[in-house]
Amino acid sequence: MECKGIHVTKRILKYHSEEVTFADGSTKERFIAKEKGIDVRLALDMVRLARQNQYDVAVLFSQDQDLAEATRDIKDIAQEQERWIRLVCAFPYGPDAFPKGGVRGCHESFKMDKAFYNKCLDTRDYR
């Protein structure tokens, strides 16, 4: 994305080990990636860029509930600036998308099926 002129903010993943026990009683150590601060950075960038009139449409590939507050701020910014900004969350649509009736990410969703969503996933191992 950087080579196409897109600003990319990177965060170093931290790993911790976890012992997994299988049904047969055997165990295996696996390493789990833990990101920190990605949701805060994304929320700050969304709000800053909305204030700077840098986009009209934002598609979030996240189900992080913390982003709902940033999306409300962006709607306020659009109203203050008397302009149109569309925010949608992209994730598999279906019964698991809104557990127990809760809202994830932002209040509007871009309905996509599981196959399309899976094509969008980054499967690279960054270790």
Side-chain angles (χ1 to χ4, degrees):
M1 289 168 52
E2 285 176 304
C3 65
K4 297 196 181 225
I6 297 170
H7 173 75
V8 176
T9 300
K10 299 174 185 173
R11 295 282 188 257
I12 296 172
L13 292 174
K14 305 221 182 219
Y15 291 88
H16 68 276
S17 65
E18 178 180 284
E19 191 171 280
V20 179
T21 304
F22 297 99
D24 66 359
S26 64
T27 61
K28 182 177 181 179
E29 183 180 30
R30 69 179 193 167
F31 292 92
I32 310 292
K34 174 118 174 114
E35 54 86 4
K36 199 71 177 144
I38 300 295
D39 54 347
V40 174
R41 179 74 261 160
L42 182 57
L44 289 169
D45 285 347
M46 287 171 39
V47 171
R48 178 180 50 82
L49 293 170
R51 287 210 179 281
Q52 295 173 352
N53 197 9
Q54 295 294 310
Y55 67 87
D56 295 317
V57 176
V59 181
L60 303 175
F61 282 84
S62 174
Q63 293 184 15
D64 195 326
Q65 181 58 36
D66 294 340
L67 295 174
E69 293 181 43
T71 62
R72 284 191 291 273
D73 286 349
I74 292 165
K75 287 179 182 184
D76 291 344
I77 291 167
Q79 195 171 29
E80 290 166 10
Q81 294 180 353
E82 297 179 349
R83 65 188 193 91
W84 181 87
I85 301 176
R86 177 76 187 257
L87 297 167
V88 295
C89 288
F91 51 87
Y93 188 78
D96 296 334
F98 297 103
K100 299 179 184 157
V103 175
R104 294 288 198 175
C106 59
H107 299 285
E108 297 180 55
S109 64
F110 172 74
K111 295 176 179 140
M112 66 173 66
D113 62 18
K114 183 79 171 168
F116 182 85
Y117 178 81
N118 286 338
K119 287 180 184 177
C120 297
L121 293 176
D122 182 357
T123 58
R124 286 176 282 181
D125 184 350
Y126 289 92
R127 285 178 278 187

